[in-house]
Amino acid sequence: MEGIMSFKRNSLSLEKMQVLLLTDLDENVMMDLLSGPSVYTEHVTKKAIDDAKEIQDTDDLTEDEKDLQLEFLADDMNYAKEAQELAEELAIIGLFKTLEIRIAKATKASKLMSNNKVKELYVTDKFIEHFNSIGIDLNSVAYFNEYKELKLLNNCLKHSGEVNQSLEDANPTTWTKGEKITDFATHFRRLLQPNIMFLNNLGADIRSKL
């Protein structure tokens, strides 16, 4: 009997450790989603400035040839900026996907829900309902509103690229329905820490049920 009880305690301890690890997300690691693109853009910009100076100083080109070369450099800088903006947009999508996957894995590791329920967690209503069924009221978990905002922002970016009514309702001081979504890096930084805290808080609540 003692051996069985010891096995159960060890198993429970393992489940708690798995949940802890899955809901402990490093903010610095996630910030790397932004740092790479910005470094590339800075490199392209610096090189373009250096090349532009060489073009302007050379006597081997006519003024028309210089203008053409400078236009090419301007195009390179624009392409780099566009690539950075796309990467920043994808960073938001990547952040939400990371959280969604970690929540599902942590819940599965806890064994508090059936596999079928875990698979339904991507649906907002089911997400709230299934956690309620194990005694966790998501609306009482700190930073859940920021998680919902991130999810809505993710959905808008993946579909129209514009703010819909649900996103405006989630944070009317920031969003206006119909507006094109821009400033991706700003929104990523604004939502990053609160969402990491939500994941951590949810993990603590899951562990409290074990």
Side-chain angles (χ1 to χ4, degrees):
M1 177 66 71
E2 184 179 346
I4 294 174
M5 293 300 295
S6 176
F7 174 78
K8 287 183 177 179
R9 284 196 297 271
N10 290 336
S11 175
L12 201 59
S13 177
L14 176 61
E15 289 164 6
K16 284 189 174 183
M17 182 59 67
Q18 288 177 318
V19 172
L20 175 63
L21 292 174
L22 286 164
T23 55
D24 183 22
L25 189 58
D26 190 328
E27 182 176 345
N28 292 324
V29 171
M30 298 310 295
M31 279 300 298
D32 287 344
L33 291 172
L34 290 183
S35 62
S38 63
V39 169
Y40 169 70
T41 303
E42 288 171 8
H43 169 74
V44 171
T45 301
K46 183 179 183 304
K47 186 176 185 306
I49 291 172
D50 292 340
D51 290 347
K53 188 176 185 308
E54 287 185 15
I55 292 169
Q56 290 168 337
D57 292 344
T58 186
D59 294 327
D60 297 333
L61 298 173
T62 66
E63 289 303 316
D64 287 344
E65 289 172 332
K66 287 182 180 182
D67 289 342
L68 183 60
Q69 292 295 323
L70 292 172
E71 285 180 16
F72 289 149
L73 291 178
D75 287 342
D76 288 343
M77 292 174 65
N78 287 333
Y79 294 148
K81 183 63 177 174
E82 289 174 3
Q84 180 179 346
E85 289 176 354
L86 175 59
E88 289 170 353
E89 180 179 354
L90 292 174
I92 294 174
I93 295 171
L95 172 60
F96 175 73
K97 193 65 178 178
T98 299
L99 292 165
E100 188 177 47
I101 290 173
R102 281 176 173 256
I103 290 170
K105 285 185 174 181
T107 307
K108 185 175 182 178
S110 74
K111 299 178 182 176
L112 293 171
M113 289 184 201
S114 67
N115 287 339
N116 286 337
K117 284 187 176 182
V118 171
K119 290 177 182 177
E120 292 179 336
L121 291 180
Y122 72 93
V123 181
T124 301
D125 289 345
K126 294 292 185 181
F127 186 57
I128 295 172
E129 176 187 325
H130 292 335
F131 272 102
N132 272 335
S133 72
I134 61 171
I136 297 176
D137 177 8
L138 289 175
N139 290 303
S140 298
V141 180
Y143 303 108
F144 182 47
N145 285 337
E146 285 80 0
Y147 177 79
K148 289 189 291 185
E149 181 183 352
L150 178 63
K151 180 173 184 176
L152 292 167
L153 175 57
N154 166 78
N155 291 342
C156 287
L157 290 175
K158 289 168 68 175
H159 293 99
S160 66
E162 295 181 353
V163 178
N164 63 14
Q165 188 63 59
S166 296
L167 183 55
E168 179 183 329
D169 291 343
N171 188 351
T173 61
T174 298
W175 306 109
T176 301
K177 182 183 177 183
E179 285 190 351
K180 182 175 175 59
I181 300 171
T182 58
D183 298 327
F184 306 112
T186 299
H187 296 303
F188 179 91
R189 293 188 183 96
R190 177 176 62 83
L191 291 168
L192 176 59
Q193 189 175 54
N195 273 279
I196 287 177
M197 291 300 298
F198 168 72
L199 178 66
N200 190 262
N201 293 336
L202 181 58
D205 282 356
I206 293 173
R207 295 197 308 277
S208 74
K209 302 299 178 181
L210 297 175

